[in-house]
Amino acid sequence: MAAAGEGSQSSRGPRRDPPRRPPRDGYGVYVYPNSFFRYEGEWKGGKKHGHGKLLFKDGSYYEGAFVDGEITGEGRRHWAWSGDTFTGQFVLGEPQGRGVIEYKAGGCYEGEVSHGVREGHGFLVDRDGQVYQGSFHGNKRHGLGQMLFRNGDKYDGDWVQDQRQGHGVLRCADGSTYEGQWHSDVFSGLGSMAHCSGLTYSGLWINGHPAEQATKMVILGPEVMEVVQGCPFSVHVQLLQDQGETAQSESGRVLQISAAVRYVQLPAYSEVSFFHVDGDNQETRLQTPFPEAGVLGPRAAKGGAEADVPLPGGDQELDSDALHGQDTLGDQLATGCAPCRPGARQRVQQGHATFTDVLLGPPPSGYHPFLFLDSLRKKAGSRSRGGPHPGAAPPTAPEPPGGSRPEGRAMEKRAVAAAYPGEYVVVIRDVTTPPFLGRTLPTAFKHLRVVANSSGQRPHVLEEGDPEASGGWQATYSCTPEPPVPR
């Protein structure tokens, strides 16, 4: 039995010592039986209490305050698996209260936390350097907050689950501002935008796009506008939506007016003239919705926004000296000058724009008129025989009646010719810079017919040698009829 007993005792193996107990009080080091935790610090009554450091086998650690064996109070926690670090308040082992989170991927958070996640008010700098200050819920931006984006844009308003939603104001780095409703991080609902170009839109937005935005321009009036030679006229422009309704929600778009010469075969009864261009004047044509004419000439709007843009084929645009109208965008209006400047510009107001006192000057150099006026044919007799006469001289504006010339004008000054009677095209371009939301409206055209001044009306006259004739375009005389009203 003894042998058996001895054999049985031997089979149980060597006797092991019981695990070493943690220190009772004071400072000590203790390695837990699973070897995953190691604590070095203060003890009280056999529990971690006071300041200490708890190390994890994976490289994580906590260093700070302990109360009755629990991580509670101020401390610093590092997670090896993510590389993130939290410094602040802890309750029962979890970050709770206020603190600072440093992210391994970049950026940091300073503010309130609950159960280890951002909750409450805080200040967040993300890995891209973008800054958010405001409310958090469930670790996401939620509630009222302000955001400074990497591109310089600033947002101040409502957030829902890390997206801008509700009411907010966006101030862009380029100077544009949007104020209104948001949904899923884009403009959605009622809102107003003041674009950096000066254009404003106030109305409905859907998925980041204005629902009532202008998509095209039309020039109001009859299919063919008819004006008297040398007389100013008005051009009325309307901006339309896709559905054909006036884009009243939009204002401030910049429109520029110019003109092109048409060279077409007209009905025999038309008292108009055709134009012939010199063979050396071969330039790119202007694309219009009217039949191509083959008349070529210099380009317009020298130095304008589109001066370097080639013009596709079609009717040929007049030189900038051939068209002038009221320019409300320059300093001239502020100084009280009533000028008529080439390539005049206007800003749209609630979907409408009007160019007043528009006056066509003579065509560019290189054009020679083929006159087909009945009165001239009768005078020419057999010389013309009703056909074109390339050597005909361009008509000039008649002298005003005696006594009507302003004082100080030299009587010997010769009047500059007005536009020849004939066929023209009025061109309206959208020159808003920069384009609103990256989109420029298609160019609008209108057929214009200039008829001879045979009623004795006094034409608009410019005189050579005057500063106005070379660029100021100050009117000396004007026709008596009122500008045409859109039909």
Side-chain angles (χ1 to χ4, degrees):
M1 291 296 292
E6 292 175 1
S8 175
Q9 184 178 4
S10 176
S11 64
R12 290 196 298 265
R15 184 175 181 179
R16 297 181 179 179
D17 295 330
R20 186 168 63 89
R21 293 182 179 181
R24 184 71 182 172
D25 295 296
Y27 182 88
V29 178
Y30 179 70
V31 178
Y32 286 79
N34 59 11
S35 300
F36 188 80
F37 300 103
R38 181 180 184 275
Y39 175 77
E40 179 178 351
E42 297 177 332
W43 298 82
K44 182 178 181 179
K47 295 181 179 180
K48 300 182 292 293
H49 190 90
H51 184 82
K53 186 173 184 179
L54 181 66
L55 296 94
F56 302 80
K57 196 172 185 179
D58 65 353
S60 303
Y61 68 87
Y62 167 81
E63 182 175 7
F66 289 83
V67 176
D68 291 334
E70 298 289 348
I71 298 176
T72 299
E74 293 286 336
R76 179 181 178 87
R77 174 79 156 90
H78 174 75
W79 291 268
W81 62 271
S82 66
D84 298 342
T85 302
F86 174 79
T87 303
Q89 298 174 336
F90 288 81
V91 175
L92 299 179
E94 290 187 333
Q96 186 85 12
R98 293 193 61 85
V100 177
I101 304 176
E102 300 173 77
Y103 300 99
K104 181 181 180 181
C108 64
Y109 169 81
E110 181 177 357
E112 298 175 331
V113 295
S114 178
H115 301 288
V117 298
R118 300 186 297 257
E119 187 79 25
H121 189 273
F123 183 88
L124 173 67
V125 180
D126 65 17
R127 59 186 299 178
D128 296 323
Q130 302 181 127
V131 180
Y132 172 84
Q133 183 175 5
S135 297
F136 288 85
H137 178 67
N139 217 36
K140 296 182 178 181
R141 292 165 292 185
H142 190 94
L144 187 64
Q146 301 174 346
M147 181 85 173
L148 175 61
F149 294 89
R150 180 174 54 181
N151 63 358
D153 294 352
K154 298 179 181 179
Y155 173 80
D156 186 356
D158 297 324
W159 295 78
V160 174
Q161 296 294 306
D162 260 350
Q163 292 186 329
R164 289 167 289 184
Q165 188 157 314
H167 184 273
V169 178
L170 176 67
R171 295 176 176 87
C172 302
D174 64 4
S176 302
T177 301
Y178 171 84
E179 180 175 3
Q181 297 298 308
W182 294 72
H183 191 275
S184 300
D185 220 33
V186 297
F187 311 147
S188 190
L190 294 178
S192 300
M193 171 173 281
H195 194 248
C196 58
S197 64
L199 187 150
T200 60
Y201 173 87
S202 181
L204 181 65
W205 296 75
I206 299 178
N207 294 328
H209 300 282
E212 301 166 350
Q213 180 186 8
T215 57
K216 62 180 179 180
M217 298 183 292
V218 294
I219 302 175
L220 302 180
E223 183 177 353
V224 179
M225 294 177 59
E226 190 169 283
V227 298
V228 178
Q229 178 191 15
C231 294
F233 57 95
S234 296
V235 176
H236 303 270
V237 184
Q238 189 174 34
L239 272 56
L240 300 179
Q241 307 174 35
D242 281 330
Q243 300 81 4
E245 299 179 358
T246 304
Q248 296 183 355
S249 300
E250 184 178 308
S251 295
R253 190 181 294 271
V254 182
L255 307 183
Q256 178 173 288
I257 187 171
S258 57
V261 176
R262 293 198 66 204
Y263 183 53
V264 294
Q265 184 62 41
L266 297 174
Y269 59 81
S270 296
E271 292 190 354
V272 296
S273 63
F274 299 124
F275 299 97
H276 172 70
V277 65
D278 290 343
D280 296 336
N281 247 342
Q282 299 296 320
E283 299 220 8
T284 310
R285 298 177 180 179
L286 175 68
Q287 181 68 42
T288 74
F290 306 107
E292 292 192 6
V295 176
L296 306 177
R299 291 176 55 194
K302 297 177 181 177
E306 69 290 327
D308 296 329
V309 181
L311 302 176
D315 296 323
Q316 186 57 43
E317 192 171 12
L318 287 179
D319 188 32
S320 61
D321 291 342
L323 178 79
H324 37 91
Q326 185 180 9
D327 186 355
T328 60
L329 300 182
D331 297 333
Q332 300 174 8
L333 191 61
T335 58
C337 185
C340 301
R341 192 164 185 175
R345 298 185 178 190
Q346 282 280 6
R347 285 197 182 272
V348 174
Q349 296 296 329
Q350 296 183 341
H352 297 273
T354 300
F355 293 86
T356 59
D357 295 330
V358 177
L359 182 68
L360 286 177
S365 59
Y367 284 88
H368 301 290
F370 288 138
L371 298 183
F372 276 82
L373 300 177
D374 288 340
S375 59
L376 294 179
R377 286 206 301 267
K378 292 176 183 178
K379 293 180 180 179
S382 60
R383 288 185 303 166
S384 65
R385 304 183 60 179
H389 182 53
T396 58
E399 288 290 333
S404 60
R405 182 183 299 273
E407 294 183 2
R409 298 285 187 176
M411 295 297 294
E412 65 274 14
K413 291 182 178 180
R414 183 170 58 88
V416 176
Y420 305 150
E423 300 290 307
Y424 297 85
V425 177
V426 175
V427 183
I428 303 293
R429 285 190 179 93
D430 176 10
V431 294
T432 308
T433 305
F436 181 53
L437 301 182
R439 182 176 182 178
T440 298
L441 298 184
T443 302
F445 304 91
K446 174 67 72 171
H447 187 177
L448 177 67
R449 178 178 299 162
V450 176
V451 299
N453 189 347
S454 59
S455 61
Q457 295 171 340
R458 292 179 300 176
H460 183 107
V461 175
L462 298 174
E463 295 185 344
E464 291 183 346
D466 290 338
E468 294 85 354
S470 60
W473 294 108
Q474 181 74 27
T476 305
Y477 302 101
S478 61
C479 296
T480 54
E482 293 292 331
V485 178
R487 300 179 181 175

